[in-house]
Structure formats: C-alpha cells, structure tokens
Amino acid sequence: MEQFFQPQDLRAIAPELALTVFGLGLLVLDLIVPDKRKLGYWALAGVASAAILLFLNRNLDAATAYGGQVVVDPFADYFKLMFLLATGLTVGLSMRYLDVEGEQHGEYYALLLFAVMGMMFMAGGADMVTLYIGLETMAIATYVLVGFLRRRPRSNEASIKYFLLGAFSSGVLLYGMSLLYGISGSTNLVEIADALSRRGADPVSLIAMITVSAGMFFKIGAVPFHQWTPDAYEGAPTSVTAFMSVAVKAASFAMLLRIFLIGIGPLREQWVPVLAAVAVTTITLGNIAALRQTNVKRLLAYSSISHAGFVLLGLIAGNRTGMVAVVLYLFIYTFMNLGAWGVVVALRRGNVIGENVEDLNGLYSRNPVAAVAMLIFMLSLAGIPPTAGFIAKYHLFAAVIETGHVNVAVVAALNVAIGLYYYMRLVVAMFMAEPSEAGSVGFSRGVTSVLVITLALTILIGVYPDWFINLAQDATATLPVF
Amino acid sequence: MVSLEHYLILSVVLFTIGVIGVLSRRNILIILMSIELMMNAVNINLIAFSNQLQDVIGQVFAVFVIVVAAAEAAVGLGIVIAMFSNKETVNVGEIDLMKW
C-alpha cells in the first residue's frame, strides 16, 4: 500500500485549507469585530485567496493526493471555480440582506466557507469516503444556514424539513455505498467500476445502484425525491436559497457525475432508463407545479427542480457533447439563477417581505434597471437567444438528439414552452401591472455588483460562448464517455 | 457459526425498521432515532464486509459514519430546540406553515 500522506499532498488541497483557515478566523473575528457586516469582506478575502491558490494549482492536473483519495483534475478545478464564484456572489447578496433580517452574525460567513470546503471535496473526491465526508460537511453547514433566521418559524420549519430528509437520504446513499464496498472490497471509484464490470448486473449490484441513485436524486432535488426543495427554498433566508440553488446543487451534480460515470459506470445500461424516467418526470412536474405558484421563491424553487431534470438529460446522452452540456449548463445556471435571486433579495426591505409575485408589480416604473435585468434572467432561464440559457439548452438538446433519445428531447422541448409561460408571468407583473406601492426601489452596493456581474456573464456567454465551451470541454476531457 | 449472510440480513432488517420509522412516525425525536438506526445498519454492513474481505477500509469508513452521525445529531437537535422555542412542538404533523 502506498504511503497515505506526503507533504506535497497539502498543496493539492491548498484551496480547501485556505477556506478552512478563513472560516475558523471568521469565528474568532466574530468575537472581536463589533461591526459584523465587515466580516463579509473577510469572507470575500477567503474566497479570493482560495481562488488564487486554485489558479496556482492549475498545473497539478490529474495529480492524486492522500493515497488516491483526492484527485486534482480539470473537472474538479472547473467545479471549484464555479463554487467560489457562486460563494463570492452570495456574500455580496448577503451583507445587506442580513442587516434587514436582523441576523448579521459572523457564523453565517464561516458556515458558507465551510460548506464550500465540503463542496470542493465532493468535486475532487475519487473515493467514496472522501465524497461522503465532503457531502456531509456541505450538508450540515447548509442545514444551519437554512435555519439561520432562528426567530422566524418559517426558517426553523424549512431547516427541520431539509435536515430530516437530507439525513434520511444520506442514510439511503450510505447503504448503497456499503454494498458497493462489499462488492468490490474497495472504496475507490475506479476499483468499484472494475469490480462491477467483472461482476455484471446481479441483484446486489442493482440494489446498490438503486440506493445510491436514490440518495443522489434526493440531493439534486429530482422527482420523486423533490418534496423538500420548495419548502426549504421558501423558508430559508433568500441569500441562502440563492446559494443552495446554485452551489449546493452544482456540488451534488459533481458528485453524481463522478459516481455515475466512474463508480457505477459499468451499469450504464441499467441506469439510463431509470435516469431517463426521472429526468422527464422531474422536468415536467417541476414546470407544472411552478405554473400555479404565487410565491416567487417557491416558483423559482420549482423552476430549479425542472432545471435539475434538464441537466440529467446530458448524462442520459452520455457522449462527449452531453458531458460538455452538463457542466456548461451548471456554469451558466449559476449566473442566471443567482441574478434572478439577487433581484428577489433586493426586494426584501424593512417591513416588505417581497416574496409574492404581486411584490414585483410595476417594478419597471420603480426601478427600470432591475426590471430589465430580471427580464434578461427570465429569458435566459427559459432558454431564449441571445442569452446564455439558450446556449446551455442548445447543447443539451444537441447531445440528446445525437444519441437518438428523440422522445426525451420532444418532452423536454415542450417543457421549454411551459417554462416560458411562468417566467413570463413574472415579466408581465414587472412591466404591465400597476405598482402596489409608490416610490423607487434602491439596491445596495453588494446587490448591484452581483447583478452587474451575473448580467454581464449571462449576456457574454450568450453572444460569445466559445471561450466557455472550451473551458467545459477541457473540464470533461478526462471523463469517460459511452 | 455466524456468517456474512447473517450480518447482512440483520443490517437489512435494521435498515428497513429505520426507513419505516422515518416514514411513519410523527415525532421528530423518534425520526432522528430511526435515521440513526439506518446509519448503524450501514455500519454493520461495512464491518461485516471488512471482516469478510480482511480489509481495514470498511472499519475506517464505519468510524467516519459514526463521527458524521454524531455531528448530524448535534445539529439536528439544535434545530429542533430552535423550532421548539418558537412553536413548542416536536410533531412533524404540526410543522405546516408551508405545504409539506
């Protein structure tokens, strides 16, 4: 057995270490600094230093550390970059929002950093133990963040629901992992794949596959395990909801990709039909449920369920285009969705909850820039050119059609139309309805910068996607395809 | 002689009891205990396999599972306490501000 720890392994996990140091530092600073809002800048510094270390590590490609437990490859780097960007933007959204909610504490930022640290291990784990610990580090931090408004019964409720279903799904996932260990005698994903391809699809492998997939479907919020999503998203502080809908979801997808493509890759013939059924029902149910929502947070929660279904389409296709489409979709979704959530965060002021569709009424006359930004995010989420959302959906559909899954493509295409309907409901409210209250809506500096960055990227990727497609191609070059 | 199969059957039974408990019980504390039962079913699995394969990784994994379960229980009980101070209930049937 090779040596488990070597000093150079520390370099491979340097970004994670930086986040941990800054997270712990935040907990200490929380006791010293009287102006808690300043701690947000410390969190941004942590994210920035992790990003710098990630950049310096870019030549480490395909290096493994800790006896093969952690791998540093372009796939992991791509996802880590995505998490860091999402976290930086979330901090920008949070700083004023927490003041409005009256819950400005240093722990909030520390928990964000710890959650990102867990996500990075989910993206970079090559071993079930690492993946599981990463998943739980992220999940436990997120349970607390969801319940962060602890005087608010809704937040408590969201937290308890998310926690119970999250812990339950971890149990199911773990059961599958224990069976995979029994089958292969190893927790390494590559060795599991070897054992499975020797063994074929016998009942025990199938039970392992089904329990592992059920656990992962819970985490990404796919039907039939999606019930926690709208409740957790609605009750959580809006900035945390924004974080969950992009970073937590992307991390779960990173782990899902590693497990499905490498670990249980040999069972692909068995899992593709399951995945196709799950993807189609996820897209459809998510969209249909979104149609009749009156709460913007719930509406966007259902929309995020249907987007998770779309991402699964790329995995069903399973070819090179499909893989590129999956990671590109997640990257683009991060920005367009964070932008949309940013507008919702900004509507929360003083006594105004700003969560209902009516609260968007006449936003155009109260803050034209925000209304136009929201319009572009909605068009992008619906997948209309020339926004980034179109590029994302275009690649997915191309991959699905290339591999001959025409039925799936037809259902997904119909769903784009349904999606357009409910996204446009928000647009109609903003541009055509009479404002329910007078006066303009001002945005804080943090929210404004987040909106500028997300808007710029949403349009930039839409009109000039080449650079981002290349990035996605590099990231998926090492993934196996079928 | 207690064989691998015996342990696996015990683990399946424990896991099923846990799942049924989570799905049917209304008291949050009992649901938490049921989740704990599921985790321990996994641990029995891991250790049985570890013994069968004469491989230590299963035991290491089990120790990690125990640690994570402890952390999860701590956070979970914290959340229950936060909720109890607002709502004075530990019954999931009464947690109904949002559609369940």
Side-chain angles (χ1 to χ4, degrees), chain A residues 129 132-133 136 140 150-151 153-154 156-157 159-161 163 168 174-175 178 181-182 185 187 231 234, chain B residues 11-12 15 32 38-39 42 45 49 53 55 57-58 64 68 72 75-76 79-80 86 95 97-100:
Chain A
V129 181
Y132 173 68
I133 301 292
E136 290 297 327
I140 291 175
R150 64 176 194 283
R151 292 185 209 90
R154 262 169 196 267
N156 300 152
E157 190 180 317
S159 178
I160 203 106
K161 286 177 180 175
F163 168 74
F168 177 67
L174 264 181
Y175 192 77
S178 74
Y181 169 68
T187 50
D231 287 343
E234 183 187 343
Chain B
S11 151
V12 169
F15 189 79
L32 275 175
M38 290 167 65
M39 298 281 193
V42 172
N45 245 356
F49 282 131
L53 300 160
D55 176 72
I57 297 176
F64 275 116
V68 169
E72 221 163 38
V75 168
I79 296 170
V80 172
N86 279 329
I95 310 177
L97 280 179
M98 294 173 288
K99 286 167 273 176
W100 186 209

Side-chain angles (χ1 to χ4, degrees), chain A residues 3 14 33 63 65 147 161 175-176 179 186 210 231 271 277 282 300 302 358 365 370 378 389-390 401 428-429:
Chain A
Q3 204 177 352
V33 179
K161 286 177 180 175
Y175 192 77
L179 290 181
S186 167
I210 289 167
D231 287 343
W271 57 251
T282 304
L300 287 175
Y302 279 111
E358 298 89 70
S365 59
M378 289 299 126
F390 170 72
I401 292 167
V428 168

Side-chain angles (χ1 to χ4, degrees), chain A residues 158-216:
Chain A
S159 178
I160 203 106
K161 286 177 180 175
Y162 185 40
F163 168 74
L164 288 178
L165 291 177
F168 177 67
S169 66
S170 295
V172 176
L173 176 72
L174 264 181
Y175 192 77
M177 286 181 163
S178 74
L179 290 181
L180 286 178
Y181 169 68
I183 289 169
S184 63
S186 167
T187 50
N188 187 292
L189 291 179
V190 178
E191 284 177 39
I192 289 170
D194 286 346
L196 280 177
S197 57
R198 277 199 304 276
R199 193 182 165 101
D202 62 348
V204 181
S205 328
L206 286 180
I207 295 174
M209 180 198 91
I210 289 167
T211 42
V212 167
S213 353
M216 289 317 298

Side-chain angles (χ1 to χ4, degrees), chain A residues 141-468:
Chain A
T142 319
Y143 300 146
V144 183
L145 284 173
V146 171
F148 205 75
L149 309 176
R150 64 176 194 283
R151 292 185 209 90
R152 205 54 72 65
R154 262 169 196 267
S155 183
N156 300 152
E157 190 180 317
S159 178
I160 203 106
K161 286 177 180 175
Y162 185 40
F163 168 74
L164 288 178
L165 291 177
F168 177 67
S169 66
S170 295
V172 176
L173 176 72
L174 264 181
Y175 192 77
M177 286 181 163
S178 74
L179 290 181
L180 286 178
Y181 169 68
I183 289 169
S184 63
S186 167
T187 50
N188 187 292
L189 291 179
V190 178
E191 284 177 39
I192 289 170
D194 286 346
L196 280 177
S197 57
R198 277 199 304 276
R199 193 182 165 101
D202 62 348
V204 181
S205 328
L206 286 180
I207 295 174
M209 180 198 91
I210 289 167
T211 42
V212 167
S213 353
M216 289 317 298
F217 291 154
F218 253 112
K219 302 293 176 193
I220 60 168
V223 175
F225 310 110
H226 65 292
Q227 295 94 335
W228 61 269
T229 318
D231 287 343
Y233 281 21
E234 183 187 343
T238 314
S239 52
V240 173
T241 313
F243 180 69
M244 283 167 72
S245 72
V246 294
V248 172
K249 187 159 281 197
S252 307
F253 265 109
M255 179 169 166
L256 184 141
L257 285 173
R258 284 232 194 247
I259 289 182
F260 273 69
L261 293 175
I262 302 170
I264 59 172
L267 298 177
R268 182 173 158 82
E269 259 174 53
Q270 279 75 37
W271 57 251
V272 164
V274 179
L275 216 59
V278 167
V280 168
T281 45
T282 304
I283 299 174
T284 316
L285 267 177
N287 269 337
I288 288 175
L291 285 177
R292 45 187 196 85
Q293 297 306 323
T294 52
N295 181 305
V296 179
K297 285 173 87 172
R298 253 186 128 74
L299 189 150
L300 287 175
Y302 279 111
S303 123
S304 93
I305 292 175
S306 86
H307 280 283
F310 273 110
V311 178
L312 286 178
L313 292 181
L315 205 58
I316 295 167
N319 58 357
R320 189 60 68 201
T321 328
M323 293 303 114
V324 172
V326 168
V327 298
L328 187 65
Y329 199 107
L330 288 169
F331 194 80
I332 291 173
Y333 181 70
T334 301
F335 298 110
M336 59 190 186
N337 206 43
L338 264 179
W341 282 109
V343 175
V344 182
V345 167
L347 290 175
R348 173 84 175 86
R349 280 159 296 120
N351 304 318
V352 185
I353 308 285
E355 279 178 14
N356 289 319
V357 177
E358 298 89 70
D359 292 322
L360 283 172
N361 279 356
L363 184 66
Y364 181 66
S365 59
R366 300 168 68 197
N367 188 334
V369 180
V372 170
M374 189 69 166
L375 168 68
I376 291 169
F377 294 134
M378 289 299 126
L379 290 176
S380 184
L381 284 169
I384 306 291
T387 56
F390 170 72
I391 304 292
K393 285 219 168 66
Y394 170 79
H395 279 83
L396 271 182
F397 280 104
V400 175
I401 292 167
E402 265 174 29
T403 49
H405 296 87
V406 182
N407 298 338
V408 178
V410 170
V411 179
L414 289 175
N415 270 287
V416 173
I418 304 179
L420 191 57
Y421 172 77
Y422 63 79
Y423 291 126
M424 286 310 119
R425 252 181 68 203
L426 299 185
V427 174
V428 168
M430 287 187 304
F431 285 85
M432 303 191 177
E434 287 297 311
S436 43
E437 52 181 314
S440 64
V441 185
F443 285 4
S444 73
R445 235 181 330 151
V447 173
T448 313
S449 22
V450 169
L451 287 183
V452 168
I453 294 170
T454 52
L455 194 62
L457 278 162
T458 306
I459 295 170
L460 177 71
I461 303 177
V463 294
Y464 183 70
D466 296 2
W467 194 78
F468 298 91

